[in-house]
Amino acid sequence: MFSRYFPILKWAPNYNREAFSADAIAAVIVTIMLIPQSLAYALLAGLPPEIGLYASIAPLVIYTVFGTSMTLAVGPVAVTSLMTASAVGELMTQGTPEYLGAAIVLALISGIILIVMGIARLGFLANFLSHPVISGFITASAAIIAISQMKHIFGIDIHGHNLIEQITSLISGLPNANLATMAIGAAAIGFLVWSRHRLTPKLMQIGFSKQMAGSASKAAPVVAVIATTVAVWALELQSAGVAIVGDIPRGLPTPALPAFNTELWSMLFLPALMIGIVGYVETISVAQTLAAKRRERIDPDQELIAMGAANVGAAASGGFPVTGGFSRSIVNFDAGARTPAAGALTAIGIAIATLFLTPLLFLLPKATLAATIIVAVLTLIDVETIKRTWLYSKSDFAAMLGTIIGTLIFGVEIGITIGVLLSLILFLARTSRPHVAIVGRVPETEHYRNIKRHDVETFPSVLSIRIDESLYFPNARFLEDTVNETISGRPEIRDVILMCSAVNSIDASALESLHHINLRLKDAGVLLHLSEVKGPVMDRLKRSPFLTELSGQVFLSQFEADQRLQDKNTLPSI
Amino acid sequence: MFSRYFPILKWAPNYNREAFSADAIAAVIVTIMLIPQSLAYALLAGLPPEIGLYASIAPLVIYTVFGTSMTLAVGPVAVTSLMTASAVGELMTQGTPEYLGAAIVLALISGIILIVMGIARLGFLANFLSHPVISGFITASAAIIAISQMKHIFGIDIHGHNLIEQITSLISGLPNANLATMAIGAAAIGFLVWSRHRLTPKLMQIGFSKQMAGSASKAAPVVAVIATTVAVWALELQSAGVAIVGDIPRGLPTPALPAFNTELWSMLFLPALMIGIVGYVETISVAQTLAAKRRERIDPDQELIAMGAANVGAAASGGFPVTGGFSRSIVNFDAGARTPAAGALTAIGIAIATLFLTPLLFLLPKATLAATIIVAVLTLIDVETIKRTWLYSKSDFAAMLGTIIGTLIFGVEIGITIGVLLSLILFLARTSRPHVAIVGRVPETEHYRNIKRHDVETFPSVLSIRIDESLYFPNARFLEDTVNETISGRPEIRDVILMCSAVNSIDASALESLHHINLRLKDAGVLLHLSEVKGPVMDRLKRSPFLTELSGQVFLSQFEADQRLQDKNTLPSI
C-alpha cells in the first residue's frame, strides 16, 4: 500500500552497480541535450534562462521517488512553456519579478491539482482529450511557437494576440531585421535541420553504432550552441546588435514556496488546470509508449501524483511548469536508462552545469536557442494524421479542425476547450439519431444481419429491428418515431422483435418510450418482444414495471425469438 | 410542400357542419374553463389580468392555421408563466409598463426562436431535456408556484429569491394575514380539491354521462369565481381588506409589435430560449399523447413553427408567452373537438368575454385565482415518478434530484441547465468505463454470452471479449488497459476475438487504441480478430490502414470466428 505511492520502494532494493552504470551513461547524454533545451524553453516561456535550468533539477529528483515509468525524463517542454507564456503574459509584464512569480505559482497550482486528481484516481478524465483534439492542438501550438520565435531569428519585436496579428507584425518589422542575428539564426536552423536528417547516417559511416549515432546526433544543439557562442566571441557580434543570453546568476535556487494570494491564484487556476492536464496527457502517452516496448507497466493514477509532486518541486525551486518530455525521454530510453535513478543523476549533471558552466553561456546568442525551438516544434506539425483523420471520420476531423482554428485564433486554452466540447457535441448528435437496421437470418446459421447489406431470410409476420445505440434521452423519441414509421402500412406484421445486442443501457427516458411503444403496438394488435438483452440492462429492467406490462416475451437469442414466433404464426391457433 | 407549412390546407377543405358543431360545443366548454385560468396565470406572471385574456385570443387563431394537432389548446400555462415572472422580474419592477413590455418582448423572441428552429428542423434538440429532468423541473416549479401564490391566500407580501427565503418571509408575515382573504382562499381551495376528486361521481349520480360529468367538473373554478365574487359583493369584503381584481380595461388590444432594443433583447434571449423549449416540450408531449389516442399524426418540426407563430401572435396582441396546455387540451379533447377550428371558436368566446364580461370580474378576489393555481399545480408534483426513477436508475435519479434542488434554490433556468448538464455528464462517465464481458458459447447454439452469467463453453487458447459500448475517446484508453489486463498472466492464449456486436462506432481515438492493442498482442505472439462488426463501422475501418495491419481476421459471426480458431489451434500446423 505504502509502496503504491512511493514506487521507488519497488526498484531501489534491487538497484545494483550494473543498473547504475547504465543509468549514469544515459544521464550524461541527457544532461548534454537538456542544457540548451532548458535555456530555450525558459526563453519561450518569457523567463530568464536560469529558470529553465532550475526546472530541470528538483522535478527530476522528485520523479525518481514517485514515478512509475523507468525511462521518462521530466522538465519544461515546448507546449506547456507556450501555455505558461500565454497564461502569465495576460496578467503580468514580461521581465518583471511579478511575471516570474506568477509562473512559479502556476507550477505550484498545477502540481496541487494533479496530486489531488491522482489521489482521487481521476486519471480517466484525461481521456476526454481525444486523439484528434490533442493532435490538432499540438500542430497549432507548434505553428504559434515557431512564429513567436521568429523575433529572435530576425532580431525584431513582434506584437499581437493571435497568429494573424503576429505574422502581420513580423512582416512589417522585417525592414528593421538585424543581419548578423539573421545570419546566426539561419545557420543554426540549417545545421539543426541537416543534422536531424543526415547526421545519424554520417556518424554511422565513420563507425558509430546505429544507437550511438542516433543519441549523439541529438547533441547537435550543443554543437550549435558552442559554434555560435564562439562566433559571437570571435567576431564581437554583440556589438553588431546580436542579442545574447548575458549574465546568468550562478548557484542553485533556495527552496521556497510562493505565498498564497487569493486573487492571483484564482486567476491562474484555470490555466494551471489546462497546463496540468495537457502535460499529463503528454507524459502518459510517452510513458506508455516506452513502457510497452520493454513490457513494463506504468500506473496512470500514480503518474498524476508523480507529475504533481514534480511541479510542486519545480515551484519550490523557483521553476515553471514541467512535464514528461517526448524527445528527452526517447534519448534517455535509447541511451539505455534502466531506472528513474537516471533522472536523479541527470539532475546532478544539470546542477553542476548551473554552478560552473553558466559563465560560458554569457555570449550565447538568443537566435541559436530560438533555432533549436523552431526545429524541434516543426516536427510536431503532423499533416499525416490530419489527412488520415479526414479520410477516416469527418466528425473527428471537424473536432480537430475546430481545435486548430480555435488555438490559432483564440489561444491554447480556448482552442482545447472548443475541441473537447466539439467532440462531445458531435458524439451526442450522432447518438441522437442512431443507425437502425431491419435484420434477417443469414441462411443456415443462427446469425442475423441487416437486410440491406446481406442476403438474409425474413418471415412476413415477424419484424426484427436492431437499434445500434444505447437507448437514452437524446434518442428516446427517435426510437418511438422509428418503430411507428416502420410498422405503419404493414398490416401483416403480428410480432415486432427489438434486437438489443447493441443496446448497452436503457435510461428512464428510453424506458418511458418503450412503455409507449408497447402500448401503441398492443392497441394495433402487434406484440412487442425483446431479444439478446444484455445482463446489466436486464437487471435494471427487472426493477421496473416494464417487463410485466410487455405484451410479448424476452428471448435469450434473436434466433430463438425468430423461430418461436414463426412457429406461433404458422401453426393454427387452437 | 406549401401545405406542409400550412396544415389548415389539409383539413379545411373537408370541414363540414358536423365537425363544426362538435368543435363549437368543445369551444364553449373550453372558453368557460379558460376565463379564470387566463386571469390566474396573468396574476402568476405578475401581469394585469386582461393580459391573460389577450394571450388566449390571437395565439389560438394562429394555431388553427399552423398546428398539426387536432385537439391541442394553446394559451398561458403555469410553468411558462412562472418562468416569465422570474425572467422579467429580474429586470423590471412589477406593475410598471416596462414590466409588461418586457413580457411581450419575451413572447416575441421566444416565438422567433421557435420558428427558426422549426425551419431548421431542430425539433430533436428538445430531446436533450430528458424525462427525469422534465419531471423534476415540473415538480420543483409546482412547489415554487404554490408557495408564490400563498401571498394572495393570506393577503400578505412575500419576498425572497429562492424557496427558503420565500417560506421564511411567508411565516414571518403570517401574523399580519388578512382573515377575510384567508377565509375566501381556504374555501376556494377546499371546494376545488373536493370537486377535483368528488364532483365527477356526484354529477354522474344525478344523471350526467361520464364524459359530460368529467368536462363539467372542470368548470369548478368558474363556480368558485362566481361564488366568491358574489360573497365579496354581498359582504362588502373589499373594505375588510380583501384584494380584488378591480378595473379591467374593456375592449381588444390593438395589434402592434414591440420595437427592437438591443440591450433588452440580448438580456431576454436566454430566458426566451428556455421558455420556448420548455413550452415546446410540454406541447409536444400533450399533442403526441392525444394524437396517439385517435391514431392521428403530428409533425414535431411543424409544431415548432406553429408554437413560434402563436407566440409572435401573443406578442403582437399584447400578450405573454403561450404554449400547448395540458389540462385545457384534455378538456378540448374530451369535449369532442375534431379540428383546430375549435381553437379559433374558443378565441371568439374569449374575445366576447373580454369585450362584455370584464365589468363582472371587478369584485373577483385575487385569493380565488390563487386557489385555482395552487390546486392545479399541486397535481403536477409527481412523487410516484420520483420513486420509480430511484428504483430504476440511480444516475437518472441524480439528474432529477439535481434539477429539483437547482430549480428550488437557483430558479427555473439554472435548474434546467443543471439537469441537462448532469444527465450528459453522468452518461459520459458511464460510457467511459463500459461493461466488458468474457463470452463463451451457449451449448448447442451459435449464441455467445457472458461466462459469469451463463453456463457456457470456452476453449483455452481462444479468448472472446465483448465490449458493451461504442469505442470513442472517453473509453479508448480503458479498452487498451482492459485487453492488457485480461491477457496478462495467461500464456495459453493464442487468439483474442473482440466481439463487436455492441460497438456502434469507432472513432479516431479508439482506432489508435486498436492499433496499439494489435501491435502489443502481435509482439506477445497473440493474434487479434474482430467478429460481428456492424456494416457502418466496417465501412469506416476500410478507409483506414487498420484492417491491413490487423494480425488476425474479421469474421462475420462470433460462432464462425470461434469455430475456425478452435480448429486452427487444435490441428497440428503443417
Side-chain angles (χ1 to χ4, degrees), chain B residues 244-509:
Chain B
I244 54 171
V245 164
D247 208 21
I248 300 180
R250 252 189 188 184
L252 296 174
T254 323
L257 277 177
F260 181 73
N261 168 336
T262 319
E263 199 193 350
L264 180 64
W265 284 49
S266 59
M267 282 189 299
L268 290 176
F269 181 81
L270 264 188
L273 177 70
M274 290 280 197
I275 290 176
I277 292 182
V278 167
Y280 173 68
V281 170
E282 179 163 355
T283 300
I284 211 81
S285 316
V286 178
Q288 276 186 334
T289 305
L290 297 180
K293 291 196 188 205
R294 289 205 199 147
R295 313 227 153 270
E296 295 165 350
R297 266 198 78 69
I298 61 151
D299 172 351
D301 285 314
Q302 176 62 24
E303 283 302 297
L304 275 171
I305 294 175
M307 293 316 304
N311 272 296
V312 172
S317 57
F320 64 113
V322 297
T323 191
F326 189 72
S327 56
R328 71 189 61 186
S329 300
I330 300 274
V331 170
N332 196 35
F333 179 91
D334 283 345
R338 290 268 193 89
T339 73
L345 296 171
T346 306
I348 294 173
I350 305 273
I352 292 171
T354 311
L355 285 173
F356 305 109
L357 297 184
T358 46
L360 300 179
L361 298 170
F362 185 85
L363 288 176
L364 168 59
K366 287 185 174 176
T368 309
L369 294 178
T372 66
I373 294 177
I374 291 171
V375 174
V377 298
L378 285 184
T379 60
L380 298 177
I381 295 183
D382 190 355
V383 180
E384 189 49 43
T385 299
I386 298 177
K387 260 196 280 180
R388 229 176 34 225
T389 307
W390 164 257
L391 284 178
Y392 183 67
S393 155
K394 299 296 172 281
S395 66
D396 275 317
F397 179 78
M400 181 184 260
L401 195 68
T403 311
I404 293 178
I405 294 174
T407 306
L408 292 181
I409 296 180
F410 304 110
V412 282
E413 285 146 33
I414 295 180
I416 290 187
T417 310
I418 289 176
V420 171
L421 292 180
L422 212 51
S423 306
L424 292 176
I425 290 169
L426 289 168
F427 173 77
L428 292 169
R430 196 179 51 62
T431 58
S432 75
R433 302 202 173 202
H435 179 251
V436 173
I438 310 283
V439 295
R441 180 183 172 197
V442 179
E444 324 229 334
T445 73
E446 299 179 7
H447 192 59
Y448 285 74
R449 293 304 277 256
N450 193 343
I451 56 169
K452 288 195 192 145
R453 287 177 179 264
H454 299 267
D455 195 11
V456 294
E457 301 168 349
T458 55
F459 192 79
S461 69
V462 178
L463 181 77
S464 299
I465 306 178
R466 192 188 74 203
I467 310 272
D468 286 353
E469 201 58 65
S470 292
L471 304 179
Y472 76 126
F473 60 96
N475 60 32
R477 209 184 303 282
F478 174 88
L479 176 68
E480 281 183 66
D481 293 347
T482 304
V483 174
N484 283 353
E485 274 165 36
T486 317
I487 291 295
S488 67
R490 294 183 61 180
E492 75 280 10
I493 293 171
R494 317 295 314 147
D495 294 277
V496 170
I497 308 171
L498 274 189
M499 182 177 170
C500 299
S501 52
V503 174
N504 302 311
S505 64
I506 297 178
D507 79 353
S509 308

Side-chain angles (χ1 to χ4, degrees), chain A residues 110-139:
Chain A
S110 160
I112 294 172
I113 292 173
L114 290 174
I115 292 175
V116 170
M117 284 177 70
I119 292 171
R121 309 188 74 83
L122 294 179
F124 74 93
L125 283 182
N127 298 341
F128 282 90
L129 281 183
S130 72
H131 202 259
V133 169
I134 295 172
S135 165
F137 166 70
I138 287 182
T139 292

Side-chain angles (χ1 to χ4, degrees), chain A residues 392 396 430 446 449 505 508 533, chain B residues 396 430 449 505-506 508 533:
Chain A
Y392 182 67
D396 275 317
R430 197 178 52 62
E446 299 180 7
R449 294 304 277 256
S505 64
V533 181
Chain B
D396 275 317
R430 196 179 51 62
R449 293 304 277 256
S505 64
I506 297 178
V533 181

